[in-house]
Amino acid sequence: MNFPAVRMRRMRRDAFSRALMREHTLLPSDLIMVAFVIDGEGKREGIPSMPGVERVSIDGLLELAGECVRLGVPALALFPSPGPAAKSEDAAEAWNPQGLMQRATRALKAKYPDLGLIGDVALDPYTTHGQDGLIDENGYVMNEPTVEALIKMSLAQAEAGMDFVAPSDMMDGRIGAIREALEQAGYIHTRILAYSAKYASSFYGPFRDAVGSAASLGKGNKHTYQMDIGNSDEALREVELDIAEGADAVMVKPGLPYLDVLRRVKDAFGVPTFVYQVSGEYAMLKAAALNGWLNERAVVLETLTAFKRAGADAILTYYALDAARWLRE
Ligand code: PBG
């Protein structure tokens, strides 16, 4: 049957029928806020490449967490931006029980026990060279020694009350190793969000400014562990391994340039699948908005809805609080 029996515009004619046929709707409960924490008190630092995003000390983090709770954003993903004194060759500050992440976690859990907390597990904020792992004399990131460090980091976070540890490092076998260590230590409820399909993307630049790894990394890159941007079968293999090793949720990162990967992952495995709208995506949208070239609210909500349509169950985004506010208006 064809035109005029089929008129696709009939259902689009009125708001009520558009609402009824809408397949995907964005909710505040789909969103995960991303925050950068720094040492000190009453401190806020702007990030030049991410206007509107600040690094905050723990007191400011508590305010941010309060906003999440008030707006119905269920979780906060936490990234540390430790000072130069916390950086070393072996990244030992990452698992200091009194380290920045651990103190932030305890403070957040004490005040907002029901807000989900997701802790970044990777060494880049803590290494002098800005790589996500430990390097050998040639600068190559060593897999097993790095996994041992990530285990210590995960245990320290779990001990502090972290709900999700989220390894963003792309070492082989780290999900299984972390899972086994958590079980053995009795942290049977600590979830693992695996950055499974994490690409060697150039969209992470502003983040590296924010956590202070850009200067350490210098001309270095992460191509020996993050995925090649031309691949998507490989993403399915990564996800399959992480699920087998005990991941509770998997992630595709970055977001908008990788919607095809997101859809393939969700179709192939049907497990909780998260996506990360990364710093460079935020920077693009914000820059266009500040220039008056795009309607910020409309395009942000459009990108976030696109993630849901492509199969995402949850979205990490620097826009989480803004989006939740807009959705509530
Ligand atoms: C590193 C890490 C990165 C991001 C999250 N964790 C950057 C990188 O891999 O260099 C990027 C997040 C963003 O760009 O918003 N462990």
Side-chain angles (χ1 to χ4, degrees):
M1 214 46 114
N2 233 311
F3 182 80
V6 176
R7 285 181 185 269
M8 295 300 282
R9 293 181 57 196
R10 251 183 242 126
M11 285 294 282
R12 291 181 206 137
R13 180 166 182 271
D14 298 298
F16 88 88
S17 49
R18 288 195 297 272
L20 291 177
M21 75 181 292
R22 186 164 301 129
E23 298 170 47
H24 301 282
T25 306
L26 183 71
L27 300 168
S29 59
D30 298 318
L31 304 174
I32 296 167
M33 183 58 182
V34 184
F36 299 111
V37 61
I38 52 177
D39 260 311
E41 244 206 78
K43 284 179 83 180
R44 286 180 179 276
E45 300 172 357
I47 303 157
S49 49
M50 302 181 76
V53 177
E54 292 178 314
R55 291 179 285 229
V56 294
S57 48
I58 292 176
D59 49 303
L61 195 62
L62 290 170
E63 286 172 29
L64 206 72
E67 279 291 278
C68 290
V69 171
R70 204 174 61 75
L71 292 165
V73 170
L76 185 65
L78 201 54
F79 291 89
S81 180
K87 295 180 195 284
S88 61
E89 279 290 309
D90 66 359
E93 181 61 18
W95 50 91
N96 175 356
Q98 296 311 320
L100 181 56
M101 278 292 266
Q102 281 64 255
R103 278 182 283 122
T105 302
R106 287 192 199 95
L108 286 164
K109 277 288 146 189
K111 188 148 186 202
Y112 299 106
D114 297 332
L115 178 68
L117 269 194
I118 301 174
D120 185 56
V121 173
L123 305 184
D124 50 316
Y126 298 102
T127 51
T128 41
H129 44 70
Q131 294 289 356
D132 287 17
L134 304 173
I135 56 173
D136 68 14
E137 61 281 7
N138 301 315
Y140 183 76
V141 174
M142 301 180 289
N143 199 83
E144 277 83 336
T146 298
V147 171
E148 288 307 311
L150 299 175
I151 288 173
K152 288 187 258 184
M153 193 173 180
S154 301
L155 289 172
Q157 291 188 11
E159 197 278 329
M162 195 66 82
D163 295 302
F164 256 108
V165 289
S168 66
D169 56 288
M170 293 298 278
M171 295 302 110
D172 287 321
R174 91 278 205 215
I175 300 300
I178 291 170
R179 171 60 73 212
E180 190 186 333
L182 288 172
E183 286 289 321
Q184 274 177 8
Y187 299 117
I188 63 168
H189 303 301
T190 307
R191 303 157 189 87
I192 301 178
L193 167 60
Y195 283 65
S196 302
K198 177 172 177 177
Y199 286 85
S201 169
S202 297
F203 282 99
Y204 307 148
F207 172 97
R208 291 178 189 170
D209 296 334
V211 301
S213 68
S216 326
L217 195 58
K219 285 197 168 40
N221 65 55
K222 303 190 175 182
H223 292 128
T224 69
Y225 45 104
Q226 298 179 347
M227 280 180 51
D228 190 285
I229 59 172
N231 298 350
S232 88
D233 287 346
E234 188 188 7
L236 299 189
R237 291 186 71 198
E238 285 283 4
V239 168
E240 184 175 22
L241 286 166
D242 286 351
I243 295 169
E245 291 177 28
D248 299 287
V250 297
M251 185 146 70
V252 174
K253 174 187 175 187
L256 216 52
Y258 297 88
L259 291 182
D260 58 323
V261 178
L262 182 57
R263 170 47 65 196
R264 286 192 75 185
V265 166
K266 188 61 182 176
D267 283 349
F269 302 103
V271 300
T273 304
F274 295 7
V275 66
Y276 196 148
Q277 182 174 51
V278 301
S279 58
E281 297 177 70
Y282 174 89
M284 285 198 300
L285 293 166
K286 185 59 91 177
L290 288 174
N291 276 293
W293 296 337
L294 289 173
N295 174 337
E296 183 174 34
R297 173 182 170 144
V299 293
V300 168
L301 294 178
E302 184 173 335
T303 60
L304 299 177
T305 303
F307 292 132
K308 282 202 78 177
R309 194 191 60 237
D313 297 298
I315 305 156
L316 287 88
T317 171
Y318 301 92
Y319 272 117
L321 294 178
D322 289 332
R325 249 178 243 120
W326 293 329
L327 290 170
R328 279 164 182 277
E329 276 168 21

